[in-house]
Amino acid sequence: DQQVKQNSPSLSVQEGRISILNCDYTNSMFDYFLWYKKYPAEGPTFLISISSIKDKNEDGRFTVFLNKSAKHLSLHIVPSQPGDSAVYFCAASGGGATNKLIFGTGTLLAVQP
Amino acid sequence: SQTIHQWPATLVQPVGSPLSLECTVEGTSNPNLYWYRQAAGRGLQLLFYSVGIGQISSEVPQNLSASRPQDRQFILSSKKLLLSDSGFYLCAWSTTGLAGARKDFGPGTRLTVT
């Protein structure tokens, strides 16, 4: 049962344009959502997060939007740069003592120069 | 600042051989520790987590085991590797509480079982 879904396995965007990566979840108990960026043969690096009590969080070129009623979040990258090319993972946490993260399957973003 | 180490970086092992992957964290105490695996073309699957020394929880039934002999050391093991154990293994740590939702990952170990 995939609780966190990224339905687009890949996305191609021109440099300078906006990249929009989408993520859907099924468990309404998730209270924290995160985005990670991953290059091949490296560990994921944290990008940005959002608490379930907010609907938007911004950090530089990266903005995450959360729509709780639709159980949907998205990551916007503006403007996109070639160095942004990587796999982006959406993750959700249900809190508690263990704070386990449930990851989506990832979206490969390719930013064309 | 905190640093997480994993070794080896790559490993090629025959089917049926044992496995030991090590993860250590510096610059923090009593972290939550996690082992994840990324199989080819798939997302990150949580394998084990630990909230303290000697405390291990398994997320999925499998051919692997984990141990936490020291506060900042987490070990992933197998007695006999299967072909399906191939993948990219990642160790992660976090604090507890709300801030613990964020996990910081190590560089990973690429395991190929032949």
Side-chain angles (χ1 to χ4, degrees):
Chain A
D1 177 30
Q2 192 72 22
Q3 297 187 68
V4 179
K5 301 176 184 178
Q6 293 177 256
N7 293 317
S8 297
S10 63
L11 175 67
S12 183
V13 172
Q14 287 295 119
E15 181 178 4
R17 300 288 190 114
I18 183 171
S19 294
I20 300 177
L21 298 107
N22 294 304
C23 178
D24 297 293
Y25 62 95
T26 58
N27 189 342
S28 58
M29 299 302 292
F30 288 143
D31 59 4
Y32 213 74
F33 302 90
L34 304 91
W35 285 94
Y36 282 82
K37 176 181 178 180
K38 185 180 182 301
Y39 294 114
E42 294 184 11
T45 54
F46 171 78
L47 266 180
I48 192 169
S49 63
I50 187 167
S51 164
S52 60
I53 63 173
K54 297 189 174 184
D55 55 17
K56 178 183 175 180
N57 189 27
E58 190 172 355
D59 184 1
R61 297 187 297 114
F62 302 92
T63 304
V64 56
F65 296 92
L66 176 62
N67 183 333
K68 285 181 63 179
S69 61
K71 294 190 177 69
H72 176 84
L73 64 155
S74 60
L75 174 68
H76 292 211
I77 307 173
V78 183
S80 301
Q81 300 172 355
D84 296 329
S85 298
V87 176
Y88 289 78
F89 288 99
C90 168
S93 173
T98 60
N99 251 325
K100 294 183 289 185
L101 270 187
I102 308 298
F103 282 85
T105 52
T107 297
L108 174 62
L109 173 65
V111 180
Q112 311 295 334
Chain B
S1 64
Q2 298 83 14
T3 309
I4 181 167
H5 303 279
Q6 281 186 251
W7 62 90
T10 60
L11 192 58
V12 180
Q13 291 284 96
V15 168
S17 63
L19 172 74
S20 181
L21 303 181
E22 189 165 343
C23 169
T24 59
V25 181
E26 295 178 356
T28 187
S29 59
N30 197 31
N32 284 355
L33 295 172
Y34 308 82
W35 278 110
Y36 283 85
R37 176 173 62 198
Q38 183 183 19
R42 303 191 61 182
L44 298 169
Q45 182 185 33
L46 178 62
L47 302 176
F48 300 94
Y49 63 90
S50 171
V51 298
I53 296 175
Q55 301 179 61
I56 308 295
S57 296
S58 173
E59 282 295 290
V60 294
Q62 59 205 308
N63 186 42
L64 303 167
S65 62
S67 61
R68 186 170 175 173
Q70 300 180 39
D71 181 45
R72 290 170 288 174
Q73 184 185 31
F74 205 22
I75 297 172
L76 184 70
S77 305
S78 173
K79 292 182 179 178
K80 287 185 178 181
L81 283 169
L82 305 172
L83 284 174
S84 58
D85 292 324
S86 293
F88 193 55
Y89 288 82
L90 290 153
C91 181
W93 77 276
S94 74
T95 58
T96 56
L98 281 177
R102 171 181 166 173
K103 312 290 182 285
D104 288 321
F105 286 82
T109 295
R110 169 71 60 192
L111 172 65
T112 302
V113 182
T114 60

